[in-house]
């Protein structure tokens, strides 16, 4: 019968104490000048002098749950020519598997053509224009205290059923260089309005809704930035300073004729 050698790990008087001693030696060895021990360097945190990063402004897209869980998010867009091109907010169609356009009970597919680098804008292409194409002003006249109309496409039928609406927002003042090229709106519009046109008293597009910055404050990309983006994308937009609506017509009717619902499907 052979005898198994005793387990060396069961001999604390030899190997375990030896390991403990080695670890002690490693800890108590003095450091050379100009070096920091790895253990100590893990706790050397820099003094915090930077300004805390604020949460990004809340976009006006309908996404109560994360897109992966909900499966879709929606906003508003509007036709800008007779060839089926549409303008909407970039964040409405960002990272979409499919883009669908709904208008007057009909649904069709759309593809992403271009996105703007400086502004929250995106250009879509559908098979054809439904309704009317928007008209932009040659000279932009939006100014503080001006009265405008803006609404998400889903709520437009409600406005029309109530006798339509002439205006539901006023122009405010922008703050700082990060809001350059935008117009500020004092309005209570909410989810689903991203990408909606901002219409002045003539029914002309003065801006494109981008994001909400406060409870009753919304930023919209100004008509100048929107027109430059469309021109760079070779879209022949319509420009005119003459009214596109009659004196008895409402801006809600005009918005309904050029707008549609944009659905991003993941």
């Amino acid at each position: 019968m052979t005898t198994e050698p005793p387990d060396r790990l069961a001999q604390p008087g030899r190997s375990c104490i030896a390991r403990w001693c080695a670890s002690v030696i490693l800890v108590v060895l003095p450091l050379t000048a100009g070096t920091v021990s790895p253990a100590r360097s893990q706790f050397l945190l820099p003094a915090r002098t930077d300004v805390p990063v604020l949460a990004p402004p809340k976009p006006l897209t309908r996404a109560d749950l994360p897109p992966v869980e909900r499966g879709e998010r929606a906003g508003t867009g509007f036709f800008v020519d007779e060839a089926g091109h549409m303008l909407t907010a970039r964040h409405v169609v960002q990272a979409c598997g499919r883009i669908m356009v709904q208008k007057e009970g009909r649904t069709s597919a759309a593809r992403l053509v271009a996105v703007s680098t400086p502004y929250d804008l995106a250009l879509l292409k559908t098979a054809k224009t439904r309704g009317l194409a928007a008209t932009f002003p040659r000279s932009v006249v939006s100014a503080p205290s001006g009265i405008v109309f803006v609404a998400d496409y889903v709520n437009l039928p409600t406005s029309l059923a109530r006798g339509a609406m002439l205006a539901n927002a006023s122009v405010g003042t922008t703050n700082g260089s990060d809001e350059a090229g935008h117009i500020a709106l004092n309005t209570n519009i909410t989810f689903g309005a991203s990408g909606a046109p901002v219409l002045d008293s003539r029914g002309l597009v003065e801006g494109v809704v981008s994001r909400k910055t406060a409870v009753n404050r919304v930023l919209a990309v100004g008509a100048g930035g929107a027109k430059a983006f469309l021109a760079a994308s070779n879209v022949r937009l319509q420009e005119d300073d003459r009214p596109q609506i009659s004196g008895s017509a409402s801006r809600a009717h005009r918005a309904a004729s050029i707008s549609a619902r944009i659905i991003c499907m993941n």
Side-chain angles (χ1 to χ4, degrees):
M1 181 177 66
T2 59
T3 304
E4 295 286 337
D7 189 353
R8 295 184 63 188
L9 294 180
Q11 301 180 43
R14 295 176 59 189
S15 58
C16 290
I17 292 180
R19 291 190 181 91
W20 179 82
C21 292
S23 64
V24 170
I25 293 173
L26 290 174
V27 172
V28 300
L29 283 176
L31 300 174
T32 59
T35 63
V36 180
S37 68
R40 186 183 176 191
S41 65
Q42 297 176 13
F43 299 98
L44 293 179
L45 301 180
R48 187 171 182 83
T49 59
D50 56 320
V51 179
V53 178
L54 300 178
K58 195 172 185 180
L60 290 164
T61 51
R62 189 174 296 279
D64 301 325
L65 296 177
V68 174
E69 296 180 22
R70 186 179 180 87
E72 68 178 46
R73 62 180 181 270
T76 300
F78 59 98
F79 293 98
V80 292
D81 65 7
E82 300 297 337
H85 287 103
M86 299 188 72
L87 197 60
T88 188
R90 181 180 58 199
H91 71 263
V92 172
V93 294
Q94 206 161 22
C96 294
R98 286 193 301 162
I99 302 173
M100 307 300 293
V101 176
Q102 286 184 344
K103 184 176 177 67
E104 298 173 349
R106 300 177 61 185
T107 302
S108 60
R111 61 182 176 87
L112 181 63
V113 176
V115 294
S116 172
T117 300
Y119 298 117
D120 182 22
L121 296 173
L123 179 65
L124 306 179
K125 178 67 170 67
T126 62
K128 64 178 182 178
T129 297
R130 292 184 183 176
L132 301 175
T135 302
F136 290 83
R138 294 184 184 278
S139 56
V140 180
V141 297
S142 58
S145 301
I147 303 300
V148 294
F149 175 82
V150 59
D152 64 283
Y153 181 75
V154 173
N155 286 323
L156 278 173
T158 303
S159 298
L160 297 175
R162 293 177 178 175
M165 189 177 294
L166 294 175
N168 63 352
S170 62
V171 179
T173 57
T174 54
N175 302 315
S177 60
D178 58 332
E179 294 186 359
H182 295 76
I183 56 176
L185 303 177
N186 301 313
T187 179
N188 59 359
I189 58 171
T190 182
F191 299 111
S194 286
V198 179
L199 301 179
D200 64 12
S201 61
R202 301 167 293 175
L204 303 176
V205 176
E206 294 281 353
V208 185
V209 173
S210 175
R211 64 188 186 272
K212 196 169 198 174
T213 60
V215 176
N216 291 318
R217 188 174 186 270
V218 168
L219 280 183
V221 179
K227 291 195 295 183
F229 171 59
L230 292 175
S233 302
N234 297 317
V235 174
R236 300 184 63 179
L237 56 93
Q238 301 180 50
E239 291 183 278
D240 203 328
D241 285 335
R242 294 173 298 180
Q244 301 299 303
I245 54 178
S246 64
S248 59
S250 72
R251 279 171 268 190
H253 278 98
R254 178 65 179 176
S257 67
I258 66 175
S259 301
R261 189 182 190 218
I262 308 297
I263 302 176
C264 170
M265 306 182 71
N266 296 288

